[in-house]
Every structure is written in structure tokens, then in C-alpha cells.
Amino acid sequence: FAGQDTAHADSVLQGETATIMFQGTRVLVEQIESDGFKSQVYFNPQGAKHHAMRSHSSGFCVFNDHAWAAQHFAAQGLKVAYLDWDAHHGDGVEALTKRSPQILTASIHQHGIFPGTGNRSMQKYNALNYPLFAGDGDAELVEAVEDALYAIHDFEPDVLLVAAGADGYTADPLAQLEYTLDGFIEA
């Protein structure tokens, strides 16, 4: 990056990092397919860039890997459920998948913080939202997860994608949720 300004160099490095992170999801999807969709758990620690939109990045998310994976599976005729518990609404996944009747999204998040969306569910789009309030903790998280799981069960998906965000933890400075390790384990 010699001779280039620092902002440009940072932008290029962020783009390369985002591309590498997205490749982890792509490889994982290929592995799921090659395994014949066995009932197994697959894990991508870099995944769930749930704010990225079709035309722009948002909230530190450049590529929306879960929306891509959901659309990829739906294009094969599979039903996909996406469960997201994060302090922030999974707005990008919801926006990118809500036109597909084969995809259900469920987002558990704090009301009123970035991105300011997800205040209500949109049943006709299979978009369920569980906006929690500042100070809500483990009981509210678990109740919302249980409610979402009932809806997911009724939807009868072939694939379940989960984005398990940690920013609802009681000490996170960007949110005012009060989840504990015990609450995450129960969820």
C-alpha cells in the first residue's frame, strides 16, 4: 500500500477480510450439501453479518452470509428458518429474504438501538421480530427463543440457520440487555 492513503489501505484490508469471512460460510454450505443434509451441527465463528444489504454494507457487515445461505438453500426447493439472537435486529437478512415464502426469519433484539428496525413482525413475509427492552435479561431471551422455536417448528424447515450474537451480554457497552452466560446456555 506504499503511496496510498491510510483510509484506502484500511478499506482494501477490510474488503479482503470480509471476503475471507464470507468464504467460510460458502465452504460450510458446500459441506452441508456434500454431507447430504444430515442432522448435524455446523459452526462458522465468523458468520452472521446480518446487517449487510444488497446495495450497501451496514453495521460493520459487508456481505450477508446468512441471507446468501438461506437464498441458496431456498433455490434448491428447501425451506429455511433463520433464528437470530443479537442485541441488534437482523435487518439485512430479513430484508433480503422476506420475499421468499420458503424462508422464515426470527430476530430477537433490543428495541430502539441500531438499526432501529424490527419493532413488529410481518407474518405475510414470515418475518418474526421479538424486540426486547433495555434491562431485559435471561428470562425474556429464553421466552423469545422458545416462542420463535414454536413458530420454526410449525414452519417445518429443512435447514435451520442460527446467528447467536453475544452482544446482549450484560456488560456489552453497545446494548442494555442483561443476558448472562446461563441465559445463553439455556437459549
Side-chain angles (χ1 to χ4, degrees), residues 14-81:
Q14 288 173 0
E16 289 175 2
T17 300
T19 301
I20 291 167
M21 291 170 70
F22 184 82
Q23 289 302 327
T25 298
R26 188 188 59 76
V27 168
L28 195 61
V29 165
E30 289 172 356
Q31 183 66 48
I32 292 168
E33 292 172 335
S34 71
D35 287 348
F37 296 93
K38 294 177 187 167
S39 295
Q40 296 183 15
V41 173
Y42 298 84
F43 177 66
N44 178 7
Q46 306 123 267
K49 303 303 175 201
H50 63 175
H51 296 302
M53 299 290 183
R54 184 171 314 283
S55 63
H56 63 279
S57 61
S58 177
F60 307 113
C61 304
V62 178
F63 300 115
N64 197 318
D65 56 341
H66 271 170
W68 173 82
Q71 291 169 337
H72 177 82
F73 290 134
Q76 296 177 50
L78 300 171
K79 290 178 72 176
V80 181

Side-chain angles (χ1 to χ4, degrees), residues 88-89 111 141:
H88 304 94
H89 177 232
H111 176 270
L141 169 63

Side-chain angles (χ1 to χ4, degrees), residues 24 32 45 71 77 88 91 97 105 113 121 131 133 139 153 160 183-184 186:
I32 292 168
Q71 291 169 337
H88 304 94
D91 61 322
T97 63
T105 62
I113 63 172
S121 293
F133 295 93
H153 179 267
L160 172 62
F184 283 124
E186 189 172 348

Side-chain angles (χ1 to χ4, degrees), residues 75-159:
Q76 296 177 50
L78 300 171
K79 290 178 72 176
V80 181
Y82 169 76
L83 173 60
D84 180 330
W85 69 74
D86 186 276
H88 304 94
H89 177 232
D91 61 322
V93 177
E94 180 180 288
L96 292 170
T97 63
K98 74 180 186 182
R99 299 284 182 211
S100 174
Q102 292 172 248
I103 301 172
L104 176 140
T105 62
S107 178
I108 302 164
H109 51 273
Q110 183 177 327
H111 176 270
I113 63 172
F114 179 86
T117 55
N119 297 324
R120 61 181 179 82
S121 293
M122 294 179 286
Q123 299 289 344
K124 72 178 183 177
Y125 294 122
N126 292 323
L128 307 177
N129 285 296
Y130 302 87
L132 304 181
F133 295 93
D136 283 352
D138 295 344
E140 292 83 6
L141 169 63
V142 170
E143 181 180 352
V145 168
E146 288 174 349
D147 191 64
L149 288 176
Y150 282 117
I152 289 168
H153 179 267
D154 290 346
F155 186 69
E156 299 179 335
D158 300 298
V159 177

